[in-house]
């Protein structure tokens, strides 16, 4: 399998900034996705990185370093509704976009 | 476009019974995936269809599991002789063809085997 590591749980304060890290070891790396999943709900797409660098989408940004096998998801101006699990997933070349997911990081946003 | 829909949302069954789940993908998506997710874990890949062809099955998919997508539209996942270890959330996802496209997930079917 693929080694995809994320912290299990994090806590942050409403209005703050939080960075969720993801490291991976895989051959034939194609791209890295971040999904958000609220308890009991479907994962929803947040961002996708295939090249090194930062992708920004509103309050959410995702960074990738292919040489280091490292990504992070940055959440700014945290809101209570951001309390959820954040899943890091990698895809491989010529693998029909099958996702290899990490175990997810549960983010608790407190007032 | 109503997204990916799965039915039922919840299923409780007795050990040894057969169960079948249905997934309706987004209509123009030709790729369809089944994943399984247990508490505190990320989804694990089970199987993949491109149109009606099942192109890959995970080793997690034992002989008791079978999936179909007969007309390249909806898909079914059947589990025969269910075991308590089959208790999990079964997620369906669909995507357009291409190497850099996100997958859209359904709400999942939560299976509890008692």
């Amino acid at each position: 399998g693929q080694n995809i590591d994320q912290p299990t749980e994090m806590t942050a304060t409403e209005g703050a900034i939080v960075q969720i890290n993801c490291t991976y070891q895989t051959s034939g790396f194609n791209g890295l996705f971040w999904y958000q999943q609220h308890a009991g709900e479907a994962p929803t797409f947040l961002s996708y990185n295939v090249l090194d660098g930062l992708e920004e989408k509103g309050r959410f940004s995702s960074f990738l370093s292919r040489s280091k096998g490292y990504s992070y998801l940055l959440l700014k101006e945290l809101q209570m509704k951001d309390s959820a699990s954040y899943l890091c997933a990698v895809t491989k070349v010529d693998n029909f976009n099958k996702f290899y997911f990490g175990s997810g990081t549960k983010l608790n946003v407190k007032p | 476009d109503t997204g990916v829909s799965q039915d039922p949302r919840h299923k409780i069954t007795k050990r040894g019974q057969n169960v079948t789940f249905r997934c309706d993908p987004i209509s123009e998506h030709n790729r369809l995936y089944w994943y399984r997710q247990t508490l505190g874990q990320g989804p694990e890949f089970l199987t993949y269809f491109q149109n009606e062809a099942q192109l890959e099955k995970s080793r997690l998919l034992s002989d008791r599991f079978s999936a179909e997508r007969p007309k390249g539209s909806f898909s079914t996942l059947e589990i025969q002789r269910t075991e308590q270890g089959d208790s999990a959330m079964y997620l369906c996802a669909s995507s357009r063809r291409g190497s850099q496209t996100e997958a859209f997930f359904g709400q999942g079917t939560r299976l509890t085997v008692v």
Side-chain angles (χ1 to χ4, degrees):
Chain A
Q2 319 305 309
N3 294 323
I4 302 169
D5 291 314
Q6 308 177 231
T8 302
E9 192 164 358
M10 300 179 71
T11 300
T13 305
E14 191 176 16
I17 299 172
V18 70
Q19 178 174 313
I20 301 174
N21 296 325
C22 172
T23 59
Y24 62 89
Q25 290 179 306
T26 184
S27 58
F29 174 83
N30 183 47
L32 189 141
F33 290 76
W34 284 96
Y35 277 80
Q36 179 192 61
Q37 187 176 29
H38 286 97
E41 297 186 10
T44 55
F45 170 77
L46 290 178
S47 70
Y48 171 67
N49 294 75
V50 62
L51 300 175
D52 286 358
L54 190 68
E55 295 283 341
E56 297 187 77
K57 291 177 72 174
R59 294 190 300 114
F60 294 74
S61 302
S62 58
F63 172 83
L64 176 67
S65 169
R66 295 174 66 111
S67 62
K68 295 182 179 178
Y70 168 68
S71 173
Y72 67 73
L73 180 69
L74 195 71
L75 291 78
K76 304 175 188 175
E77 302 169 12
L78 279 174
Q79 302 174 10
M80 298 299 292
K81 68 177 182 179
D82 296 330
S83 292
S85 286
Y86 291 85
L87 300 164
C88 170
V90 302
T91 58
K92 300 176 70 170
V93 175
D94 296 331
N95 213 347
F96 51 83
N97 245 29
K98 176 171 75 174
F99 290 120
Y100 298 89
F101 283 94
S103 295
T105 299
K106 184 180 179 184
L107 176 65
N108 303 303
V109 180
K110 60 181 184 180
Chain B
D1 179 6
T2 56
V4 179
S5 63
Q6 293 187 244
D7 183 69
R9 292 288 308 277
H10 303 274
K11 178 71 176 179
I12 300 174
T13 191
K14 292 182 178 180
R15 189 174 50 189
Q17 297 295 304
N18 299 343
V19 293
T20 300
F21 311 141
R22 176 180 171 122
C23 170
D24 287 90
I26 293 171
S27 57
E28 65 266 27
H29 288 181
N30 59 356
R31 289 180 168 177
L32 186 147
Y33 314 80
W34 285 97
Y35 289 84
R36 180 171 68 186
Q37 186 175 26
T38 54
L39 198 62
Q41 299 297 314
E44 295 177 292
F45 171 79
L46 292 178
T47 191
Y48 158 69
F49 290 86
Q50 183 158 302
N51 300 312
E52 66 276 7
Q54 187 176 21
L55 297 186
E56 183 167 334
K57 292 172 58 174
S58 163
R59 65 181 185 277
L60 293 174
L61 222 62
S62 74
D63 291 346
R64 297 184 297 105
F65 288 71
S66 62
E68 295 182 341
R69 194 183 183 196
K71 297 182 180 179
S73 56
F74 74 92
S75 175
T76 58
L77 178 68
E78 181 183 15
I79 309 174
Q80 296 182 327
R81 305 181 302 282
T82 51
E83 302 173 356
Q84 287 190 320
D86 298 331
S87 296
M89 175 76 84
Y90 290 85
L91 291 164
C92 176
S94 70
S95 72
R96 293 178 289 109
R97 191 169 184 174
S99 62
Q100 300 181 14
T101 57
E102 72 267 29
F104 295 82
F105 283 83
Q107 299 271 45
T109 295
R110 180 168 295 284
L111 173 66
T112 303
V113 181
V114 297

